[in-house]
Amino acid sequence: MQLIIGGAFSGKRSTVRALHSEELSWVSAYDERSLNDWKLQWESDTSLVLEGWEKWIMKALLSEQNDDTIRQFFYLFFSELKEEEQKRGEEIILIMLELGRGIVPIDKQERRLRDIAGWVSQDAAKLADEVYYVWHGLNEQLK
């Protein structure tokens, strides 16, 4: 599993395309895709790209009050993805938006999103085989 993380419009998608010349199955929350769509959208002989995590996390925030439960859900989800990646022999790429830099939001729900997104990205980085940080169109491999 590979994690590509960086700020908004920092070049994360371009980095994915530069690192992966093969065909990609793309599941994006920005296209109103559900997190569970990956099962139907992942075509054989392609790598799977999942992006829009902050939207999927926000959806979880609206339905669950316990932050630890949300974090546990995403950790288990990443573990499931890793298992499927090994079964298929195809790579999974997670594109995550870095929300931890900049001004801390005044709104309680936005701060909660920022906190949980940070924990989820830490868990993704822990489980990922490779981690790239992207900023201003440049990427640096951290792991």
Side-chain angles (χ1 to χ4, degrees), residues 33-102:
R33 295 287 186 185
S34 165
L35 186 55
N36 291 324
D37 284 351
W38 72 273
K39 294 175 184 177
L40 299 172
Q41 297 295 110
W42 194 359
E43 297 177 17
S44 60
D45 299 321
T46 67
S47 292
L48 175 66
V49 179
L50 296 164
E51 70 170 348
W53 291 93
E54 71 282 1
K55 291 186 85 161
W56 290 321
I57 293 168
M58 180 56 86
K59 187 174 181 179
L61 290 176
L62 296 174
S63 64
E64 174 59 53
Q65 295 303 311
N66 186 304
D67 294 352
D68 291 333
T69 301
I70 295 169
R71 184 176 184 183
Q72 176 85 17
F73 167 81
F74 283 101
Y75 188 88
L76 293 173
F77 183 77
F78 295 145
S79 297
E80 178 185 353
L81 289 176
K82 276 196 73 95
E83 283 181 30
E84 189 65 26
E85 180 183 57
Q86 291 171 350
K87 283 182 199 173
R88 291 186 185 214
E90 300 292 340
E91 191 165 30
I92 294 177
I93 302 127
L94 311 175
I95 300 178
M96 292 188 167
L97 180 62
E98 166 57 58
L99 297 174
R101 293 185 177 212

Side-chain angles (χ1 to χ4, degrees), residues 125-143:
K126 177 182 176 182
L127 292 172
D129 301 307
E130 296 177 2
V131 177
Y132 291 86
Y133 189 78
V134 182
W135 203 256
H136 303 299
L138 303 172
N139 68 71
E140 180 177 1
Q141 185 170 1
L142 304 176
K143 179 179 177 185

